[in-house]
């Protein structure tokens, strides 16, 4: 009875509200209706916003105004959940398919991309943004080219390419006159701050947060104010001001959860990280568990979920709760599959459909400029001739080096397939060790003042460190390892030098590279990953560090090694 009464009340209220508003709505033009819709939408008054958008569409249909009918469908889609919202966008596409001008169909693709982005389908979002960008360029619509580029920058940020995304956001933030409205201008600033925090530009992030908070537009808008509150909390988390971060994030969470906005999950993640840093695992678990509950309902994922589920799995493994450990392993596998699919698709398609065309366009612009200036033509011919000469020289030199690297890679693969603990001799005279650490006889070089029981204890801990693959964790340092095995850095460094025959950095790199060499041969899935993913999997912060360590250890490169494995399999 209670539910029936509630439904009846909602229906009667909707009817009453709509009927009472129609008279006042009739007095407004399209621009005034749109402004009223925006106010209701920003205040999360969905019922009122829907009533305005319905009247807008009815008015446009009655007047047979095609462009305003299209705008009516756009407003209607904003008030509905995904399935119905998509139908309204399809109606928008149908009504505008014969419209002349420079707005459609580019705008339709951008709107549809935004809908897919909102509901976590990043593959479909990218495809629509690319189409929107292509049509905008054909129609030479500067405003929509900017919109498409900014939306693609959001995807770059999702992929962790925050440096590239920050350049686009900053450019449009500082050059957005007559292109964006106040809301879009502010969202660029929000996105730029997020990127700056991620790439550790702390001062710049702080500057733009303060600029946003001082903005009159933000001060009268609760949603935007709470976005900056969240970002300020993120910044304080990054700078280790945990209590201040918790206070700001808690306020932001109270708002975003009250309107059921997806930002609540990002805030929960940051709160969990704060409590983890404060060594309060129980509080961290509370927030991470709530994230999982939300993700089950919406299925909208984000990259940091990998950290969330890893933390939950480790926590319940340590507490001995096998049921919850198994549950979160299962949840992690499902979420990770979706994240992996999105990451792979975006990493490939962003490069092929966005980065490469942009480079080609840049090249064409340069060629046109050179053609317009005669003097540059002769200079360019000379320069190109020199470049061709050097390219030819470096090509033959690189081919020679590549053959050498291929031979090294083949020898490594052969050695791993035989599972031999031997070493192989490279053409440059360097030896590579596989599946072994250099061990020095106990006491041969160790400081006599170091007790034997301390030496054996640390060696035992190092065996555990190697056997349990703890060296694959990111951010390991001599200090952090010493702390974990409850010794000091002096003892640990001395024992690694004397018993492993190398310094700590070389010891750590050798373990990681040996693991990678082995896994790339044996594990097809591991081999299919992009190099940045492989680097992250084995504990490196970036692909450059991995490539340098790999070449130093083996004398060849990861890409050549993988190619030679694929060749050996195909033969």
């Amino acid at each position: 009875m209670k539910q029936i009464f509630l439904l009846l009340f909602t229906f009667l209220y909707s009817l009453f509200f709509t009927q009472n508003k129609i008279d006042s709505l009739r007095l407004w033009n399209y621009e005034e209706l749109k402004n009223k819709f925006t106010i209701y939408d920003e205040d999360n008054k969905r019922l009122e916003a829907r009533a305005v958008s319905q009247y807008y569409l009815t008015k446009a249909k009655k007047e047979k105004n095609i462009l305003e009918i299209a705008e009516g469908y756009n407003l209607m889609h904003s008030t509905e959940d995904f399935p119905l919202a998509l139908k309204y966008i399809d109606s928008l596409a149908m009504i505008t398919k014969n419209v002349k001008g420079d707005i459609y169909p580019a705008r339709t693709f951008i709107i549809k991309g935004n809908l897919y982005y909102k509901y976590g389908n990043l593959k479909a979002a990218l495809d629509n943004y690319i189409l929107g960008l292509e049509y905008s360029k054909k129609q030479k619509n500067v405003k929509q080219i900017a919109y498409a580029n900014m939306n693609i920058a959001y995807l770059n940020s999702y992929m962790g390419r925050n440096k590239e995304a920050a350049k686009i956001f900053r450019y449009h933030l500082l050059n957005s006159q007559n292109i964006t409205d106040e809301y879009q201008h502010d969202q660029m600033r929000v996105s730029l701050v997020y990127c700056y925090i991620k790439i550790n530009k702390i001062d710049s992030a702080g500057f733009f947060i303060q600029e946003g908070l001082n903005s009159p537009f933000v001060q009268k808008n609760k949603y935007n104010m709470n976005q900056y509150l969240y970002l300020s909390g993120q910044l304080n988390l990054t700078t280790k001001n945990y209590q201040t971060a918790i206070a700001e994030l808690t306020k932001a969470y109270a708002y975003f959860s009250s309107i059921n906005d997806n930002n609540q999950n990002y805030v929960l993640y940051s709160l969990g990280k704060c409590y983890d840093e404060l060594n309060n695992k129980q509080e961290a678990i509370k927030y991470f568990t709530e994230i999982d509950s939300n993700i089950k309902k919406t299925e909208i994922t984000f990259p940091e979920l990998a950290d969330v589920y890893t933390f939950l799995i480790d926590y319940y493994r340590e507490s001995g709760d096998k049921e919850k450990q198994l549950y979160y392993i299962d949840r992690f596998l499902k979420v990770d599959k979706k994240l992996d699919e999105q990451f792979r698709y975006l990493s490939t398609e962003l490069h092929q459909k966005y980065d490469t065309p942009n480079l080609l366009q840049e090249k064409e612009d340069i060629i046109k400029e050179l053609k317009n200036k005669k003097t540059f033509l002769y200079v360019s011919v000379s320069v190109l001739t020199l470049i061709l000469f050097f390219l030819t020289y470096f090509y033959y030199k690189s081919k020679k080096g590549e053959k050498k690297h291929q031979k090294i890679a083949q020898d490594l693969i052969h050695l791993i397939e035989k599972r031999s603990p031997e070493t192989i001799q490279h053409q440059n005279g360097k030896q590579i060790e596989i599946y072994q650490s250099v061990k020095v006889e106990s006491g041969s070089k160790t400081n006599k003042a170091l007790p034997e029981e301390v030496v054996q204890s640390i060696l035992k801990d190092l065996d555990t460190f190697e056997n349990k693959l703890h060296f694959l964790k990111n951010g390991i340092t001599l200090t952090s390892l010493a702390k974990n095995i409850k010794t000091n850095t002096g003892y640990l460094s001395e024992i690694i030098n004397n018993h492993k025959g190398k310094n700590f950095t070389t010891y750590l790199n050798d373990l990681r590279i040996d693991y990678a060499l082995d896994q790339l041969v044996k594990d097809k899935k591991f081999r299919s990953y992009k190099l940045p993913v492989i680097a992250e999997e084995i504990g490196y912060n970036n692909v450059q560090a991995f490539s340098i360590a790999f070449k130093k250890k083996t004398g060849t490169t990861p890409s050549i090694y993988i190619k030679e494995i694929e060749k050996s399999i195909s033969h």
Side-chain angles (χ1 to χ4, degrees), residues 33-53 74-80 118 183 221-224 255 259 261:
L33 285 168
K34 201 183 296 184
N35 289 337
K36 197 67 179 173
F37 173 87
T38 303
I39 292 167
Y40 285 139
D41 190 46
E42 287 174 353
D43 290 342
N44 203 40
K45 294 179 178 177
R46 197 169 183 180
L47 187 67
E48 290 89 337
R50 186 181 287 132
V52 175
S53 62
N74 179 35
L75 297 181
M76 287 292 292
H77 107 272
S78 301
T79 66
E80 302 297 343
K118 179 182 176 182
Y183 175 78
N221 189 304
K222 281 184 183 179
Y223 188 92
N224 298 67
Y255 174 76
I259 63 170
D261 185 88

Side-chain angles (χ1 to χ4, degrees), residues 7 42 72 97 157 169 228 242 278 298 329 368 442 541-542:
L7 287 168
E42 287 174 353
K97 70 177 179 179
S157 179
F169 291 134
Y228 284 104
Y242 301 123
L278 291 169
T298 64
I329 288 173
K368 284 178 186 176
S442 178
N541 288 324
N542 55 67

Side-chain angles (χ1 to χ4, degrees), residues 17-162:
F17 171 82
T18 305
Q19 195 60 46
N20 277 274
K21 281 288 175 184
I22 284 176
D23 291 335
S24 61
L25 294 176
R26 283 183 184 140
L27 301 173
W28 297 339
N29 60 31
Y30 289 115
E31 194 61 37
E32 289 168 333
L33 285 168
K34 201 183 296 184
N35 289 337
K36 197 67 179 173
F37 173 87
T38 303
I39 292 167
Y40 285 139
D41 190 46
E42 287 174 353
D43 290 342
N44 203 40
K45 294 179 178 177
R46 197 169 183 180
L47 187 67
E48 290 89 337
R50 186 181 287 132
V52 175
S53 62
Q54 284 172 340
Y55 180 78
Y56 191 110
L57 183 59
T58 303
K59 174 181 167 72
K61 284 182 175 179
K62 190 175 180 181
E63 296 175 4
K64 296 180 181 178
N65 187 327
I66 299 298
L67 289 177
E68 296 302 348
I69 292 172
E71 191 56 33
Y73 283 130
N74 179 35
L75 297 181
M76 287 292 292
H77 107 272
S78 301
T79 66
E80 302 297 343
D81 292 329
F82 181 80
L84 191 52
L86 191 58
K87 287 181 182 178
Y88 280 123
I89 295 175
D90 288 339
S91 298
L92 190 160
M94 285 294 293
I95 200 77
T96 58
K97 70 177 179 179
N98 296 319
V99 170
K100 304 295 181 187
D102 65 350
I103 297 174
Y104 296 101
R107 186 167 185 252
T108 309
F109 287 118
I110 293 170
I111 291 169
K112 188 180 279 190
N114 289 341
L115 179 68
Y116 280 119
Y117 184 91
K118 179 182 176 182
Y119 285 94
N121 188 340
L122 304 187
K123 292 161 69 174
L126 175 62
D127 290 342
N128 280 281
Y129 289 151
I130 293 295
L131 286 168
L133 182 60
E134 287 174 1
Y135 278 106
S136 298
K137 285 180 176 178
K138 283 178 188 175
Q139 296 165 322
K140 297 179 181 176
N141 187 317
V142 175
K143 184 184 263 192
Q144 292 197 149
I145 290 170
Y147 288 163
N149 277 319
M150 285 184 287
N151 288 328
I152 291 170
Y154 293 132
L155 294 175
N156 265 318
S157 179
Y158 176 93
M159 289 286 294
R161 295 168 63 179
N162 288 294

Side-chain angles (χ1 to χ4, degrees), residues 152-188:
I152 291 170
Y154 293 132
L155 294 175
N156 265 318
S157 179
Y158 176 93
M159 289 286 294
R161 295 168 63 179
N162 288 294
K163 196 173 283 186
E164 294 92 331
K167 287 177 186 175
I168 294 172
F169 291 134
R170 183 177 174 80
Y171 173 80
H172 288 297
L173 185 68
L174 301 177
N175 299 276
S176 61
Q177 296 85 354
N178 304 319
I179 291 180
T180 60
D181 57 27
E182 279 188 297
Y183 175 78
Q184 289 159 334
H185 181 86
D186 186 67
Q187 288 308 295
M188 278 190 287

Side-chain angles (χ1 to χ4, degrees), residues 228-281:
Y228 284 104
L229 202 57
Y230 158 65
L231 289 170
S232 184
Q234 272 271 70
L235 188 62
N236 277 306
L237 167 58
T238 304
T239 55
K240 301 184 179 180
N241 298 316
Y242 301 123
Q243 295 302 338
T244 305
I246 288 169
E248 291 173 330
L249 292 166
T250 302
K251 287 179 186 175
Y253 175 66
Y255 174 76
F256 288 125
S257 61
S258 73
I259 63 170
N260 201 27
D261 185 88
N262 194 51
N263 273 319
Q264 65 181 302
N265 289 332
Y266 292 98
V267 182
L268 286 169
Y269 173 73
S270 296
L271 279 166
K273 291 297 288 182
C274 283
Y275 283 108
D276 180 30
E277 292 293 339
L278 291 169
N279 208 25
N280 188 341
K281 290 195 174 185

Side-chain angles (χ1 to χ4, degrees), residues 411-423:
D411 290 339
L412 282 169
I413 295 162
H414 182 65
L415 185 63
I416 288 167
E417 285 172 343
K418 287 174 64 180
R419 297 181 176 273
S420 169
E422 299 171 3
T423 60

